């Protein structure tokens, strides 16, 4: 699922007409590194995470926020390089208004 999302982002960056070639190349390079890192994550990682999000109306939000926070902490601990790359890509895209 994450690989497919990365590929969708790559396609949008390749098709974007408002990027300089330098910016496009940098983003694609970072996405390529992120994809390689994501492909190295074992297929069982996150297996205990439900496939579908739990609707907020089906339970209190507090435990969901705690669970999400714990998942993020776990990801940052187990895959710091991938987290750093994803954050850097997100910041570049956000600064560009994407």
């Amino acid at each position: 699922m994450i690989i497919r999302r990365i590929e969708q982002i790559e396609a949008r960056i390749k098709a974007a007409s408002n990027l300089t070639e330098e910016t496009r190349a940098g983003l694609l390079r970072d996405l390529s590194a992120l994809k390689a890192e994501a492909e190295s994550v074992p297929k069982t990682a996150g297996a205990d995470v439900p496939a579908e999000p739990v609707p907020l109306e089906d339970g209190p939000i507090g435990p969901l926020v705690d669970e999400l926070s714990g998942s993020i902490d776990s990801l940052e601990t187990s895959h710091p390089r991938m987290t750093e790359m994803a954050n850097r890509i997100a910041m570049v895209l956000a600064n560009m208004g994407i």
Side-chain angles (χ1 to χ4, degrees):
M1 185 165 170
I2 187 77
I3 301 300
R4 184 176 40 193
R5 177 67 66 179
I6 291 170
E7 290 170 348
Q8 290 170 347
I9 294 170
E10 284 175 331
R12 291 187 73 182
I13 289 171
K14 288 177 182 177
S17 61
N18 61 335
L19 299 176
T20 65
E21 286 305 314
E22 180 181 351
T23 300
R24 183 185 326 276
L27 284 169
L28 291 173
R29 184 177 49 253
D30 288 345
L31 278 171
S32 177
L34 179 62
K35 185 176 179 182
E37 190 75 20
E39 288 172 336
S40 72
V41 175
K43 299 293 183 204
T44 58
D48 57 340
V49 177
E52 295 295 322
V54 176
L56 294 178
E57 58 272 6
D58 287 349
I61 191 169
L64 294 175
V65 172
D66 292 341
E67 186 177 334
L68 176 60
S69 181
S71 294
I72 291 170
D73 290 343
S74 176
L75 177 67
E76 290 174 339
T77 301
S78 62
H79 303 290
R81 189 164 169 244
M82 184 170 65
T83 304
E84 178 186 339
M85 286 184 279
N87 285 336
R88 184 175 46 219
I89 292 167
M91 289 302 297
V92 170
L93 294 173
N95 289 337
M96 294 170 49
I98 297 175

